[in-house]
Amino acid sequence: MRRERREAGRPLRREPFGGFGSRSVRRARLVVGLTFVFSLLACWYAVGLTQRLSPGGWTPPSADSVRAEAVLASEFRAGPPQLILLATAPDDSVDAPHASAAGRDLTRRLAADGRIAWVNSYWQHPLPSLRTKDADSALVLVRLRGDEQAVREAAGDIIDRFTGARGPLRVSASGAAAVLDETERLSDEGMRHAEFVAVPLVLLILLWVLGSVTAALLPVVVGVVAVAATTAFLRLLDTTTEVSLFALNITTALGFGLAVDFSLLLVSRYREELAAGCGPERALRRTLRGAGRTVAFSAVIIAASLCALLLFPLPLLRSLAYGGATVVCASAVGALTVLPALLVLLGDRLDRWDVFARLRRPERAVSAGAWFRLARAVMRRPALVSVGALALLVLLAAPVTQVRFGMYDDRILPASSPVAETSQRLRAEFGSQWVDAASVVLPREPGAMSGSGSTAEAVADPALDAYARRLAQVPGVRRVDARTGTYRDGRRTAPPDASSGRFAGAGGTWLSVIPDGDDPLSPQGSRLTAALRAVPAPGLALVGGPGARLADTEHVLAGRLPAVVGVTVLVTFVLLLAFTRSVLIPVKALVLNALGLAATSGILVAVFQQGHLAPLFGDVTAGGITDVVVPSLMFCVTFGLSMDYEVFLLSRIVDEHRRGSDTETAVAVGLQRTGGLFTSAALVFATVMAALALSSLVLLKLIGVGLALAVLLDCTVIRALLVPAVMRLAGRANWWLPRLGRRKYRPAPSPTPVPAAPMEAP
């Protein structure tokens, strides 16, 4: 063992991964058996997880908009309806006797449902705003009880039971709950289509890269173990905090992507050691001492980056941090325990059933490999390659300067969706008041809402009248409805009517603010919310509604983003510094990752906000905005995978340099050893993600295309071109480290030339 440590050219110290591998080798059957039992128990415990997870989590729970909706629901039996049923009388008027009877029956049946907090229909309260001018359609507004999970379940059942033909009426559904239910249905449908297309392609890629059916199944086993452990953890976490359903989909994809990455690296190094003359047990020890250390460092960097998302108080991002860190650790542990045990049990059967054996090129020496030659070619003209690659990335990133942040609504649904069709009819025939209105709540006890415990009297009519006039003067406000009347342009245009009683109650009073535009989940809606909150109020005023939710989410993301980025950069830099023992290399890695993320973001803005490439993707603009939460989701996944590929490449470059090679040789050998690995891993992940573009849901298209482009840009333009070029330009500065952090390494003998493994040419 001491001789092996000297041969590695490293100081004499304990090698945890080599010993770890020895224990896995000696207890291979036990490790595999316990893993199988653990996976079965984890899957059993996680049964029904998708029905328990939250479909939301996009808004901070403590936001004023959330508090406003809670007060409206509890004190006034009001607030934005979660379901809007559009009842149309195709052959007559909704005021006709038989249509009116059917409408009253529909209202009565809904009101009898215990899951519904209140129902407000045209046949119950014949307000002009609840009926079209030609009287062929009317509305039934429904507010549901419970949390998001209860609302989702109830909405799906109510839509199934009460929509369709109901006597002389034809009923269809819209509203936030209907959009959520339809989004979930289309998401499941899109995931099934993606799996149908992606699974055969991924298996073919793994068969080609890993060289045999047996070896191709190893990443699948590691991925299944990692995902099973993560779903069980999320099931346990769901008992104590809100966990997003969307986080489960992301962590599942990330888990399989990392399982492929780690498995490719370990199997590749294991085959190299076998080809160098090592026996299976010694080859595994050496593999885990070298590649195992790389896997561990990569996992720590990715998990630490994901944990930075805990600084955002959004349930969606926090559950993504919990699930993402868990699946990263589970993938690494599986690769360092289960994979070595399986390799021992397989023995010489690892390379059986190579279905592409006749198509493979003869094995070549490292210096004759395609990646080696590419690195040499790049480093002959490093300045030219750097300028060209940087210009391309900057050009791709340019559309980011025109980004318009907002939140997705029903327009992420395909035009063929019944919910999307109903939503468009609502905008065209009823305006935006039932979908886009803002609510300003003036509770009777503002001190209780803020936690001071003081009590205030209800707002008097003169003060409320003055406040409503000020709100009606805000640019972008069409009218304000209050218990004191209706206001336009700072004037009261109508006195209180019979319906004004709904704006008052034991809990205080509230006002409905109807905007001029029909897109509150856009920058205009956020600005209008800020203007409403700036109006002096006679007491505590809570502004709710779609625009307020967007403004609250933007405020939280913008306020915490510097801290999240700072923590991520600092942790990544420190870990890469410890891994490479260089100052410049971690800085280079962070800068190039930022360029790759900017380029990917620019492409997404150009396609999914500005509508470029519409013939290829269809109409995917979804109102001409970019969802404010999506960049954070994209960042956490693409940054992690990019750092994973960076660590793979740097591990071989640094090892080669420590053996005495100059910078150019170290970079060329490192790229030859790992170029096929991270390119193949990226190709697998990109295939899975690109398959999501077949979905009819804009959100899935965006995530699939974005992540696929991110990893492909990273493994081509950045890893294959910019990394060799920048390191060649930096020269000896790559290896600079202050004297305080230096550690002497004994010179290592030149490695035995090993032909390139089959997986290096995907």
Side-chain angles (χ1 to χ4, degrees), residues 250-251 254-255 258 298-312 317-329 564 567-568 571-572 632-641:
I250 293 293
T251 55
L254 184 61
L258 291 174
S298 177
V300 171
I301 290 174
I302 299 171
S305 302
L306 289 171
C307 286
L309 293 176
L310 294 174
L311 297 177
F312 288 123
L317 297 182
R318 286 190 169 180
S319 57
L320 182 60
Y322 292 130
T326 302
V327 81
V328 170
C329 295
V564 171
V567 169
T568 302
V571 170
T572 303
S632 300
L633 297 177
M634 299 289 296
F635 168 80
C636 74
V637 179
T638 56
F639 187 87
L641 287 173

Side-chain angles (χ1 to χ4, degrees), residues 325-396:
T326 302
V327 81
V328 170
C329 295
S331 298
V333 171
L336 296 174
T337 56
V338 181
L339 185 60
L342 290 173
L343 289 174
V344 169
L345 295 179
L346 288 173
D348 58 2
R349 292 169 292 184
L350 176 64
D351 296 322
R352 286 188 178 180
W353 303 312
D354 184 359
V355 296
F356 296 116
R358 294 184 178 181
L359 301 177
R360 298 189 186 281
R361 296 177 180 178
E363 296 180 350
R364 299 178 179 180
V366 171
S367 59
W371 291 101
F372 188 95
R373 297 196 306 272
L374 174 63
R376 286 293 193 184
V378 168
M379 289 186 289
R380 280 196 293 269
R381 296 176 178 83
L384 180 63
V385 173
S386 298
V387 171
L390 289 174
L392 175 62
L393 293 177
V394 170
L395 180 65
L396 293 176

Side-chain angles (χ1 to χ4, degrees), residues 628-686:
V628 69
V629 182
V630 166
S632 300
L633 297 177
M634 299 289 296
F635 168 80
C636 74
V637 179
T638 56
F639 187 87
L641 287 173
S642 298
M643 276 300 156
D644 189 35
Y645 304 151
E646 178 75 9
V647 170
F648 285 6
L649 177 57
L650 290 179
S651 67
R652 300 307 292 262
I653 294 176
V654 172
D655 285 347
E656 190 66 25
H657 183 263
R658 287 172 180 170
R659 291 190 180 103
S661 299
D662 57 54
T663 299
E664 291 187 38
T665 303
V667 171
V669 172
L671 189 60
Q672 174 62 30
R673 293 292 192 187
T674 59
L677 298 180
F678 61 71
T679 303
S680 301
L683 185 60
V684 169
F685 189 78

